[in-house]
Amino acid sequence: MKRTLLSASALLTTLLGSAAHAEVIKVVSVSPLTGTRATLGVEFRRGAEMALRLHTPAFNKLGHSLKLLPLDDQGNPTRAGLLSGVLQGDNHILGIVGPQNSGVVNALAAALKPSPIAMVAPSSTNDDLTQQGWNYFNRLPSPDLAQAGVAAAFLKAKFRPRRVYVVSDNTTYGNGLTEVMQARLAAEGVKVVGFLGASTPEQIEDVLRRIKGLDADLVYFGGTDLAAAAVLKAMRKGGVTVPFAAGHGVFSAAFVEAAGDAAEGVVFSSPMAPLEKLPAAQAFLREYRARYRAEPNPRALAAFESMNVLLLATLNEIGGVKGKVPTRAQVMAAVRKVNLPACTGTGVCMNPSGPLSFDASGERRTSRVYMLEYGKGGVPELLSTETTSR
């Protein structure tokens, strides 16, 4: 009996000692968790959580305690300085998923330049982000230039517009998308009769007057969901009934709720598809619904894939060596080497959106652009899919 007690005591001491000396590895999700954009920010956090649960056993087996640190950027680029201080001050942090929007990504990535950390952005599309020479920055979605090319050709074929008015919400995302969209429309032989940034009620009223005065027969909007809804509702209230098209900023329940009945018929491009349309995403979809009792926005899947890339890169760099902790530089390099083929079968898939690897600039080598339209009740209907490669 005494020997049994001693053995149990020794075992307990060993277990406690192992837990006490477990190497902590932290990964971060950065998104709006408070404020008007929190709905989509929470989707980011949930997707990252799901990936973390998937990989935790592998890290534990190698002697690591894997932790997720969700940080709130409030959708505001001015938070970048504060966030970079938190990130750079904790040596246990090896990677970042996010932020959500291009303006915050740009500010945070620039702030991290003196002491870089691997970043995988799930949804930021501004073209300039992969032109800065940041060897620590990577993204999943097709950039604005690719989306604009597909969208311009599609809108020309569907609506045959003669005079298009373009509106931005004055964000980094909105300004970047509308700039390339104007160029692509012109290349398609479609006349752009005006452009204006509109993010206040007064500016929206000015846009409405200009659209009427210039006799536009299509309005294209680049920007976030609530800003898009405000412009669309003002148009419909003011008697402007021409088609309304946009970028993926409107792909959110918040846009549908704010726009109401006006959402029906809105056509938009997106680097993300409705999850029901991705066969390889069905396991993710079932788990999300069971865990959160809600329907996911596609951004949750993008965050899931981004975190999978980050954690797989970290595991690859550990190389099965128990207790080994890679450096930040090693993880940055390992992310660029990740190469995930398209999934087959119906089991758990780490990259349901398709093959996943990055080029030397951090751009995804193969991505897709989807054209969608809101039907009755705000249900997005898939109109077309086009694959783009770099």
Side-chain angles (χ1 to χ4, degrees):
M1 182 68 177
K2 186 176 180 180
R3 288 182 61 191
T4 303
L5 288 174
L6 286 173
S7 297
S9 176
L11 177 60
L12 180 60
T13 300
T14 301
L15 290 173
L16 289 175
S18 297
H21 294 93
E23 298 288 351
V24 176
I25 290 179
K26 294 181 182 179
V27 284
V28 175
S29 66
V30 180
S31 63
L33 300 175
T34 58
T36 58
R37 299 178 184 173
T39 300
L40 293 180
V42 169
E43 294 286 301
F44 265 52
R45 187 198 68 205
R46 289 176 173 176
E49 287 172 348
M50 289 175 65
L52 201 83
R53 282 191 291 270
L54 183 63
H55 293 280
T56 292
F59 278 87
N60 290 166
K61 186 176 180 180
L62 291 167
H64 297 296
S65 175
L66 185 62
K67 305 292 184 184
L68 175 66
L69 179 62
L71 295 182
D72 182 10
D73 64 24
Q74 299 177 0
N76 189 341
T78 63
R79 296 266 296 172
L82 174 63
L83 293 175
S84 67
V86 172
L87 294 164
Q88 291 173 327
D90 188 341
N91 290 329
H92 292 290
I93 295 173
L94 295 185
I96 304 161
V97 166
Q100 176 182 310
N101 64 65
S102 295
V104 184
V105 166
N106 185 60
L108 182 58
L112 290 175
K113 188 174 181 179
S115 183
I117 305 171
M119 299 177 68
V120 185
S123 67
S124 300
T125 59
N126 185 270
D127 291 302
D128 291 341
L129 295 177
T130 49
Q131 307 304 310
Q132 306 303 316
W134 294 327
N135 64 343
Y136 49 97
F137 176 76
N138 314 271
R139 65 163 159 216
L140 262 66
S142 50
D144 290 340
L145 187 61
Q147 288 192 60
V150 173
F154 184 89
L155 295 174
K156 178 183 179 181
K158 180 174 177 63
F159 296 111
R160 305 209 174 274
R162 297 174 296 103
R163 302 167 64 83
V164 177
Y165 199 93
V166 178
V167 184
S168 168
D169 68 347
N170 293 320
T171 62
T172 300
Y173 162 58
N175 290 340
L177 177 58
T178 51
E179 179 180 356
V180 294
M181 190 64 187
Q182 289 180 74
R184 295 309 303 166
L185 285 168
E188 291 288 340
V190 177
K191 186 173 183 180
V192 176
V193 294
F195 166 78
L196 194 67
S199 54
T200 68
E202 293 77 18
Q203 290 170 336
I204 292 174
E205 286 300 317
D206 191 14
V207 163
L208 188 59
R209 287 192 295 270
R210 292 171 185 246
I211 292 170
K212 289 180 175 179
L214 292 169
D215 193 28
D217 53 9
L218 174 70
V219 171
Y220 182 85
F221 181 88
T224 55
D225 46 13
L226 296 182
V231 171
L232 177 59
K233 288 180 72 175
M235 285 172 50
R236 299 303 184 239
K237 184 177 179 180
V240 178
T241 60
V242 300
F244 185 90
H248 71 281
V250 303
F251 201 173
S252 84
F255 169 77
V256 173
E257 182 178 356
D261 292 341
E264 184 177 348
V266 169
V267 173
F268 60 99
S269 62
S270 173
M272 301 166 285
L275 301 191
E276 295 82 357
K277 303 297 184 181
L278 295 176
Q282 299 315 297
F284 171 89
L285 187 55
R286 288 192 297 271
E287 183 182 345
Y288 186 102
R289 287 168 172 166
R291 186 169 294 276
Y292 300 111
R293 305 295 178 187
E295 290 296 315
N297 181 277
R299 289 169 179 83
L301 179 67
F304 171 77
E305 291 184 316
S306 298
M307 184 60 80
N308 283 333
V309 166
L310 192 58
L311 295 177
L312 283 171
T314 305
L315 285 170
N316 288 341
E317 196 56 43
I318 292 172
V321 180
K322 193 168 185 178
K324 178 183 176 182
V325 179
T327 65
R328 288 175 172 177
Q330 287 172 332
V331 174
M332 286 160 43
V335 167
R336 289 281 172 92
K337 297 175 184 176
V338 168
N339 186 2
L340 299 176
C343 296
T344 57
T346 57
V348 175
C349 173
M350 295 186 193
N351 51 307
S353 65
L356 211 170
S357 63
F358 304 103
D359 68 11
S361 71
E363 206 75 81
R364 188 171 181 170
R365 294 184 187 277
T366 302
S367 56
R368 293 186 176 94
V369 178
Y370 303 91
M371 294 302 302
L372 302 107
E373 180 176 7
Y374 279 121
K376 289 186 180 298
V379 177
E381 300 172 358
L382 182 60
L383 303 178
S384 71
T385 304
E386 186 165 329
T387 299
T388 62
S389 298
R390 290 180 63 83

